[in-house]
Amino acid sequence: MILSMTCWGFSWTSGKILSLYAGPLTISFYRFTLTFVSLLVILGITKESLRIKREGLLDLLLASALISLYTFLFFKGLTVGKAGAGGVLVTVLNPIISYTLALIIGRRKPTRQEAIGLSIGGVAGIILLRLFSDASALWSAGNIYFLLASLSWAFLSLVTSRAGRYGSPVTFSCWMYTVSTVLMFALSGPSSAGAVLDKADFTFWGNLFFSATITTSFATTFYFVATSKIGASKASSFIFLVPFSAALGSWMFLNEVPQIHSIIGGILGIGAVYILNKKKATA
């Protein structure tokens, strides 16, 4: 999980570079295609079955739609926003939103410690979105796309937490990316997909390989396996490692200097996640 989260952090830098080559739908199609191929290789090596239970079909389709939505919002936000700021915002809000959804779905009131953690998380979100100084900031610098990406990922975590019921989580992921690949190709169109090949270079293919194979195939699959073992809320708590690597990667490769609101909001958000995770671990 720790290695996976570090890869996720650097994926924001890689995603920013990829967003310069084509639109979000087209880049998402290529990312899903390479992810699908790499997962087939993994399944071939492990000799796991490609079958999932029939009752898991609805969750599979729902997960495919949610990962497609998240990836589109991910690249759309990066076309207008900064990789470091987006990485901090999304990965700090993800576990907080997931925890809140778990409480709502479970129809359970938060304990005092949970309420404190969620309140701090709410303040962190306001600071990260810069709503404390300008309410219109929600619509600038890709903030709205990053916020919607956090929401879609929170719902995705809840769906994939049930993946283990239907067979291997890796198999579930493989079929999920298969459906997502077809969906993104249908939305982007063959002409857009072909246009990327005309200007693709070593930088494009290198970042696509890292984004799809290392980050998505391995890191995301490991995350899905974790959600099926320990639950969505606890697995999401490991995401507090991502803001550091996201900020580090964008600073190293994109010369994006972290802004003060991202640093303060990120620290508060990590503190909120720590409080929530500590409560769950000792409950």
Side-chain angles (χ1 to χ4, degrees):
M1 285 293 292
I2 293 175
L3 181 60
S4 297
M5 299 303 100
T6 302
C7 290
W8 272 4
F10 278 84
S11 73
W12 286 86
T13 299
S14 182
K16 179 66 175 181
I17 295 173
L18 288 173
S19 69
L20 302 176
Y21 285 85
L25 292 173
T26 304
I27 296 299
S28 297
F29 161 69
Y30 276 101
R31 184 178 184 180
F32 287 148
T33 300
L34 190 53
T35 300
F36 163 68
V37 172
S38 58
L39 284 175
L40 279 182
V41 173
I42 293 174
L43 289 172
I45 294 174
T46 59
K47 297 182 179 180
E48 293 192 46
S49 173
L50 285 172
R51 299 183 61 182
I52 62 171
K53 295 181 180 179
R54 184 176 300 177
E55 54 265 33
L57 181 60
L58 181 60
D59 274 350
L60 174 64
L61 295 176
L62 181 57
S64 300
L66 287 170
I67 192 66
S68 297
L69 177 61
Y70 170 81
T71 305
F72 168 78
L73 292 169
F74 170 85
F75 284 116
K76 185 67 175 178
L78 286 173
T79 59
V80 294
K82 293 183 177 181
V88 172
L89 192 157
V90 173
T91 54
V92 163
L93 293 184
N94 275 355
I96 296 172
I97 294 175
S98 293
Y99 208 103
T100 302
L101 285 177
L103 289 176
I104 294 174
I105 294 175
R107 297 181 180 180
R108 182 173 68 84
K109 292 183 178 180
T111 64
R112 180 174 179 274
Q113 188 164 344
E114 288 172 335
I116 292 174
L118 292 173
S119 297
I120 295 175
V123 173
I126 292 173
I127 294 175
L128 287 169
L129 292 168
R130 292 179 290 126
L131 299 180
F132 60 91
S133 60
D134 182 10
S136 64
L138 177 64
W139 310 98
S140 64
N143 281 344
I144 187 62
Y145 296 114
F146 293 142
L147 181 59
L148 291 175
S150 292
L151 287 170
S152 61
W153 186 266
F155 281 106
L156 176 63
S157 296
L158 294 175
V159 175
T160 56
S161 67
R162 301 192 292 264
R165 303 176 185 177
Y166 314 125
S168 166
V170 179
T171 300
F172 186 91
S173 295
C174 184
W175 282 111
M176 179 184 70
Y177 285 114
T178 300
V179 176
S180 299
T181 299
V182 175
L183 176 61
M184 285 303 180
F185 181 75
L187 292 174
S188 63
S191 58
S192 297
V196 175
L197 299 178
D198 295 332
K199 55 181 178 181
D201 53 16
F202 179 79
T203 299
F204 172 82
W205 292 115
N207 280 280
L208 183 65
F209 177 81
F210 174 79
S211 179
T213 302
I214 304 301
T215 299
T216 308
S217 297
F218 292 98
T220 303
T221 298
F222 291 159
Y223 175 81
F224 289 160
V225 171
T227 60
S228 67
K229 299 294 183 181
I230 63 177
S233 296
K234 189 170 183 179
S236 293
S237 67
F238 281 89
I239 296 180
F240 77 89
L241 297 171
V242 182
F244 293 108
S245 53
L248 178 63
S250 63
W251 174 64
M252 291 174 58
F253 298 103
L254 300 174
N255 296 317
E256 292 182 3
V257 179
Q259 297 181 332
I260 187 65
H261 73 273
S262 293
I263 296 174
I264 296 175
I267 292 174
L268 285 175
I270 291 170
V273 173
Y274 173 77
I275 292 174
L276 293 172
N277 188 47
K278 181 179 179 181
K279 174 60 182 177
K280 189 171 182 64
T282 56

Short mmCIF file of all heavy atoms in Angstrom, two decimals, residues 99 103 108-119 275-276 279-280 283:
data_model
loop_
_atom_site.label_atom_id
_atom_site.label_comp_id
_atom_site.label_asym_id
_atom_site.label_seq_id
_atom_site.Cartn_x
_atom_site.Cartn_y
_atom_site.Cartn_z
N TYR A 99 -15.14 8.14 4.14
CA TYR A 99 -15.57 7.89 5.52
C TYR A 99 -16.96 8.44 5.76
O TYR A 99 -17.81 7.79 6.39
CB TYR A 99 -14.57 8.53 6.48
CG TYR A 99 -14.49 7.83 7.82
CD1 TYR A 99 -13.43 6.99 8.12
CD2 TYR A 99 -15.47 8.02 8.78
CE1 TYR A 99 -13.35 6.34 9.35
CE2 TYR A 99 -15.40 7.38 10.01
CZ TYR A 99 -14.34 6.55 10.29
OH TYR A 99 -14.27 5.90 11.50
N LEU A 103 -20.51 6.37 6.72
CA LEU A 103 -21.39 6.69 7.84
C LEU A 103 -22.83 6.87 7.37
O LEU A 103 -23.77 6.40 8.01
CB LEU A 103 -20.91 7.98 8.52
CG LEU A 103 -19.62 7.90 9.34
CD1 LEU A 103 -19.25 9.28 9.85
CD2 LEU A 103 -19.77 6.93 10.51
N ARG A 108 -25.25 5.59 10.51
CA ARG A 108 -24.64 5.68 11.83
C ARG A 108 -24.15 7.09 12.11
O ARG A 108 -23.55 7.71 11.25
CB ARG A 108 -23.46 4.70 11.93
CG ARG A 108 -22.78 4.69 13.29
CD ARG A 108 -21.74 3.60 13.37
NE ARG A 108 -20.59 3.85 12.51
CZ ARG A 108 -19.57 4.61 12.86
NH1 ARG A 108 -19.56 5.23 14.04
NH2 ARG A 108 -18.54 4.79 12.03
N LYS A 109 -24.46 7.58 13.29
CA LYS A 109 -23.97 8.90 13.68
C LYS A 109 -22.49 8.82 14.04
O LYS A 109 -22.05 7.84 14.65
CB LYS A 109 -24.77 9.43 14.87
CG LYS A 109 -26.22 9.76 14.56
CD LYS A 109 -26.92 10.35 15.77
CE LYS A 109 -28.36 10.71 15.44
NZ LYS A 109 -29.05 11.29 16.63
N PRO A 110 -21.72 9.83 13.69
CA PRO A 110 -20.29 9.79 14.02
C PRO A 110 -20.07 9.93 15.52
O PRO A 110 -20.83 10.61 16.22
CB PRO A 110 -19.72 11.00 13.27
CG PRO A 110 -20.87 11.94 13.14
CD PRO A 110 -22.07 11.06 12.95
N THR A 111 -19.05 9.26 16.03
CA THR A 111 -18.67 9.43 17.42
C THR A 111 -18.02 10.80 17.59
O THR A 111 -17.78 11.52 16.61
CB THR A 111 -17.67 8.35 17.85
OG1 THR A 111 -16.47 8.50 17.08
CG2 THR A 111 -18.25 6.95 17.61
N ARG A 112 -17.70 11.16 18.82
CA ARG A 112 -17.10 12.46 19.07
C ARG A 112 -15.77 12.59 18.33
O ARG A 112 -15.49 13.62 17.71
CB ARG A 112 -16.88 12.65 20.58
CG ARG A 112 -16.25 14.00 20.95
CD ARG A 112 -16.21 14.17 22.47
NE ARG A 112 -15.60 15.43 22.84
CZ ARG A 112 -14.30 15.62 22.99
NH1 ARG A 112 -13.46 14.59 22.79
NH2 ARG A 112 -13.81 16.79 23.32
N GLN A 113 -14.95 11.55 18.37
CA GLN A 113 -13.65 11.62 17.71
C GLN A 113 -13.80 11.65 16.19
O GLN A 113 -13.06 12.36 15.50
CB GLN A 113 -12.78 10.43 18.13
CG GLN A 113 -11.34 10.52 17.63
CD GLN A 113 -10.41 9.57 18.35
OE1 GLN A 113 -10.75 9.06 19.41
NE2 GLN A 113 -9.25 9.34 17.79
N GLU A 114 -14.76 10.90 15.67
CA GLU A 114 -15.02 10.93 14.24
C GLU A 114 -15.52 12.30 13.81
O GLU A 114 -15.14 12.81 12.75
CB GLU A 114 -16.05 9.85 13.87
CG GLU A 114 -15.50 8.44 13.95
CD GLU A 114 -16.58 7.40 13.77
OE1 GLU A 114 -17.76 7.71 14.06
OE2 GLU A 114 -16.27 6.28 13.34
N ALA A 115 -16.37 12.91 14.63
CA ALA A 115 -16.89 14.24 14.32
C ALA A 115 -15.76 15.26 14.28
O ALA A 115 -15.74 16.15 13.41
CB ALA A 115 -17.94 14.64 15.35
N ILE A 116 -14.81 15.13 15.21
CA ILE A 116 -13.65 16.04 15.22
C ILE A 116 -12.83 15.86 13.95
O ILE A 116 -12.44 16.83 13.29
CB ILE A 116 -12.78 15.79 16.46
CG1 ILE A 116 -13.53 16.20 17.73
CG2 ILE A 116 -11.46 16.56 16.35
CD1 ILE A 116 -12.80 15.86 19.01
N GLY A 117 -12.57 14.61 13.60
CA GLY A 117 -11.78 14.32 12.39
C GLY A 117 -12.44 14.84 11.13
O GLY A 117 -11.80 15.46 10.27
N LEU A 118 -13.75 14.62 11.02
CA LEU A 118 -14.48 15.07 9.83
C LEU A 118 -14.57 16.60 9.78
O LEU A 118 -14.54 17.19 8.71
CB LEU A 118 -15.89 14.46 9.82
CG LEU A 118 -15.95 12.94 9.59
CD1 LEU A 118 -17.37 12.43 9.77
CD2 LEU A 118 -15.42 12.59 8.20
N SER A 119 -14.69 17.23 10.96
CA SER A 119 -14.74 18.70 11.00
C SER A 119 -13.41 19.30 10.54
O SER A 119 -13.39 20.26 9.76
CB SER A 119 -15.05 19.17 12.42
OG SER A 119 -16.34 18.74 12.82
N ILE A 275 -6.79 10.96 12.53
CA ILE A 275 -7.76 10.84 13.62
C ILE A 275 -8.82 9.78 13.28
O ILE A 275 -9.17 8.93 14.12
CB ILE A 275 -8.44 12.20 13.89
CG1 ILE A 275 -7.42 13.18 14.49
CG2 ILE A 275 -9.63 12.04 14.85
CD1 ILE A 275 -7.94 14.59 14.65
N LEU A 276 -9.32 9.82 12.05
CA LEU A 276 -10.34 8.85 11.64
C LEU A 276 -9.79 7.43 11.63
O LEU A 276 -10.43 6.49 12.07
CB LEU A 276 -10.87 9.22 10.25
CG LEU A 276 -11.67 10.53 10.15
CD1 LEU A 276 -11.97 10.85 8.69
CD2 LEU A 276 -12.96 10.41 10.95
N LYS A 279 -9.11 6.07 15.20
CA LYS A 279 -10.35 5.65 15.85
C LYS A 279 -10.77 4.29 15.36
O LYS A 279 -11.17 3.42 16.14
CB LYS A 279 -11.45 6.68 15.56
CG LYS A 279 -12.85 6.28 16.07
CD LYS A 279 -12.86 6.09 17.57
CE LYS A 279 -14.23 5.65 18.06
NZ LYS A 279 -14.26 5.39 19.50
N LYS A 280 -10.69 4.05 14.07
CA LYS A 280 -11.13 2.78 13.50
C LYS A 280 -10.23 1.64 13.96
O LYS A 280 -10.67 0.53 14.19
CB LYS A 280 -11.14 2.86 11.98
CG LYS A 280 -11.79 1.65 11.31
CD LYS A 280 -11.96 1.89 9.83
CE LYS A 280 -12.66 0.70 9.18
NZ LYS A 280 -14.02 0.52 9.68
N ALA A 283 -11.08 0.75 17.60
CA ALA A 283 -12.48 0.49 17.94
C ALA A 283 -12.70 -0.97 18.24
O ALA A 283 -12.00 -1.83 17.74
CB ALA A 283 -13.37 0.92 16.76
#
